[in-house]
């Protein structure tokens, strides 16, 4: 009996796969090939970087795809101490932590109001946020430099939010990330049921309490998804800190890695460079791996409701 049931289940799954292939046609095969090619293009360079980070320079240029004779962990020590990657990584952690927190707080509140409260300027304000997605970062660099420079002349707080300050970079990161955050979360908040929030307000809850204690926990999948995207984007940002941070002690990780590759011309420390790249990649790889299910849930839940 058990054998017959197992055979029936297996046969049903086989028929379902055949039906799905028949319905999708050749596009299914092409999509799988495209995904396989994309996976190879992404995974192979990362694995090669990890491998090169524990090689000597002779092995990197002599046997690029060979295994190292021994693991050269001193490459990481040189990157951490001599190239000051440890200090730059700490700066990046501080900047990204504050900027992502500010982005999610302000972005979620703005998105909630635009999604839940109809008023005359609702759509113009929403489109004003979304229009920020149309401007590439290179188009903003020159005016942004002068804006941040002028912020340094503000009484009392100017020296803390002007050029060469982490707080100034945090404010720029928040503004830079707000358009996509508001665009994503506005659509997500619209999919949430309104009955729970209305019931809480009938019981005497304020708008602020409804948002923080009811709606925000319900939007957890979307919040986690956009948080991870903001962390990845701000961690890998290079153009903005390059323009706004000239003080070497306040550089972030991307500037430190670029400095390793250009400081000594053709005589740079390639082993330390790949070790620094590995140190930059690993935290984001761990974050994405840990929160992979939440990211997928956040991206699909809105479509399923």
């Amino acid at each position: 009996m058990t054998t017959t049931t197992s055979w029936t289940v297996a046969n049903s799954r086989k028929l379902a796969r055949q039906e799905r292939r028949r319905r999708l046609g050749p596009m299914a095969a092409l999509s799988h090939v495209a995904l396989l090619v994309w996976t190879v293009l992404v995974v192979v360079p990362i694995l090669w970087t990890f491998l090169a980070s524990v090689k000597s320079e002779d092995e990197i240029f002599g046997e690029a795809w060979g295994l190292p004779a021994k693991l050269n962990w001193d490459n990481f020590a040189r990157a951490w101490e001599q190239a000051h990657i440890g200090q730059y990584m700490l700066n990046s952690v501080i900047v990204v932590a504050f900027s992502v927190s500010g982005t999610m707080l302000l972005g979620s509140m703005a998105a909630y109001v635009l999604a839940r409260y109809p008023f005359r300027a609702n759509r113009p304000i929403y489109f004003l946020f979304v229009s920020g997605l149309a401007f590439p970062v290179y188009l903003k660099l020159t005016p942004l430099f002068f804006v941040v420079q002028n912020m340094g002349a503000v009484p009392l707080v100017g020296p803390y939010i002007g050029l060469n300050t982490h707080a100034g970079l945090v404010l720029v990161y928040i503004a830079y990330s707000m358009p996509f955050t508001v665009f994503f979360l506005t659509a997500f908040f619209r999919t949430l049921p309104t009955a729970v929030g209305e019931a809480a307000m009938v019981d005497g809850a304020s708008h602020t309490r409804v948002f923080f204690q009811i709606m925000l926990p319900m939007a957890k999948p979307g919040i986690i998804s956009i948080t991870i995207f903001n962390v990845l984007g701000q961690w890998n940002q290079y153009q903005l800190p390059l323009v706004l941070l000239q003080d070497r002690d306040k550089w972030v990780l991307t500037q430190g890695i670029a400095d390793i590759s250009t400081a000594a011309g053709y005589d740079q420390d390639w082993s330390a460079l790949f070790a620094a790249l590995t140190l930059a990649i690993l935290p984001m790889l761990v974050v994405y791996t840990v929160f992979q299910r939440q990211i997928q849930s956040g991206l699909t839940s809105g479509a399923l409701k």
Side-chain angles (χ1 to χ4, degrees), residues 173-304:
Y173 275 2
I174 292 174
Y176 176 78
S177 304
M178 283 290 285
F180 182 69
T181 302
V182 171
F183 170 74
F184 184 93
L185 290 181
T186 299
F188 195 89
F189 277 121
R190 286 173 180 162
T191 66
L192 300 180
T194 60
V196 179
E198 292 173 351
M201 295 188 69
V202 170
D203 291 338
S206 63
H207 293 280
T208 303
R209 185 174 181 182
V210 170
F211 172 69
F212 282 105
Q213 295 188 1
I214 298 176
M215 304 308 294
L216 204 59
M218 292 175 62
K220 182 179 177 181
I223 295 293
I224 293 178
S225 297
I226 195 63
T227 298
I228 299 304
F229 283 126
N230 283 329
V231 169
L232 294 173
Q234 295 177 14
W235 182 268
N236 295 321
Q237 182 58 242
Y238 174 67
Q239 292 88 0
L240 293 177
L242 179 66
V243 172
L244 302 178
L245 296 178
Q246 283 85 39
D247 190 347
R248 195 182 188 93
D249 293 335
K250 297 182 179 180
W251 279 3
V252 295
L253 186 58
T254 50
Q255 291 174 282
I257 292 175
D259 183 66
I260 295 176
S261 63
T262 59
Y266 292 101
D267 195 31
Q268 63 258 39
D269 191 343
W270 290 97
S271 300
L273 173 62
F274 287 115
L277 287 172
T278 300
L279 292 173
I281 293 171
L282 282 177
M284 297 301 100
L285 195 62
V286 171
V287 168
Y288 186 83
T289 302
V290 171
F291 294 100
Q292 180 181 6
R293 291 185 178 274
Q294 288 85 345
I295 295 173
Q296 294 174 350
S297 174
L299 293 176
T300 58
S301 58
L304 295 175

Side-chain angles (χ1 to χ4, degrees), residues 5-254:
T5 303
S6 301
W7 180 87
T8 303
V9 172
N11 192 44
S12 300
R13 291 177 178 174
K14 181 179 179 181
L15 293 175
R17 287 195 297 268
Q18 292 176 349
E19 176 63 21
R20 187 163 56 250
R21 293 195 191 100
R22 185 191 64 79
R23 186 171 63 252
L24 295 176
M27 291 302 297
L30 290 176
S31 64
H32 282 79
V33 172
L35 289 174
L36 179 61
V37 172
W38 177 254
T39 301
V40 171
L41 291 176
V42 172
V43 172
V44 170
I46 293 177
L47 293 178
W48 189 86
T49 301
F50 292 167
L51 184 63
S53 67
V54 293
K55 286 184 173 183
S56 64
E57 290 195 13
D58 292 337
E59 291 174 330
I60 292 176
F61 291 100
E63 300 178 3
W65 295 101
L67 295 176
K70 67 173 184 177
L71 300 179
N72 296 275
W73 298 111
D74 58 315
N75 296 339
F76 291 90
R78 292 199 310 277
W80 189 268
E81 297 175 2
Q82 298 179 15
H84 309 291
I85 291 299
Q87 179 62 45
Y88 300 148
M89 180 175 287
L90 177 61
N91 293 341
S92 289
V93 169
I94 293 173
V95 169
V96 171
F98 280 100
S99 59
V100 170
S101 300
T103 300
M104 296 311 303
L105 177 63
L106 299 176
S108 60
M109 290 192 295
Y112 177 72
V113 171
L114 293 173
R116 293 290 183 172
Y117 295 90
F119 54 95
R120 181 171 298 181
N122 185 299
R123 301 309 292 171
I125 293 176
Y126 173 74
F127 288 124
L128 183 63
F129 274 112
V130 175
S131 65
L133 296 172
F135 296 94
V137 65
Y138 298 102
L139 192 63
K140 312 170 188 176
L141 291 179
T142 300
L144 185 62
F145 174 85
F146 291 106
V147 168
V148 178
Q149 186 181 52
N150 293 333
M151 287 169 54
V154 176
L156 299 179
V157 297
Y160 304 101
I161 61 174
L163 292 175
N164 291 318
T165 63
H166 287 155
L169 184 62
V170 166
L171 294 177
V172 171
Y173 275 2
I174 292 174
Y176 176 78
S177 304
M178 283 290 285
F180 182 69
T181 302
V182 171
F183 170 74
F184 184 93
L185 290 181
T186 299
F188 195 89
F189 277 121
R190 286 173 180 162
T191 66
L192 300 180
T194 60
V196 179
E198 292 173 351
M201 295 188 69
V202 170
D203 291 338
S206 63
H207 293 280
T208 303
R209 185 174 181 182
V210 170
F211 172 69
F212 282 105
Q213 295 188 1
I214 298 176
M215 304 308 294
L216 204 59
M218 292 175 62
K220 182 179 177 181
I223 295 293
I224 293 178
S225 297
I226 195 63
T227 298
I228 299 304
F229 283 126
N230 283 329
V231 169
L232 294 173
Q234 295 177 14
W235 182 268
N236 295 321
Q237 182 58 242
Y238 174 67
Q239 292 88 0
L240 293 177
L242 179 66
V243 172
L244 302 178
L245 296 178
Q246 283 85 39
D247 190 347
R248 195 182 188 93
D249 293 335
K250 297 182 179 180
W251 279 3
V252 295
L253 186 58
T254 50

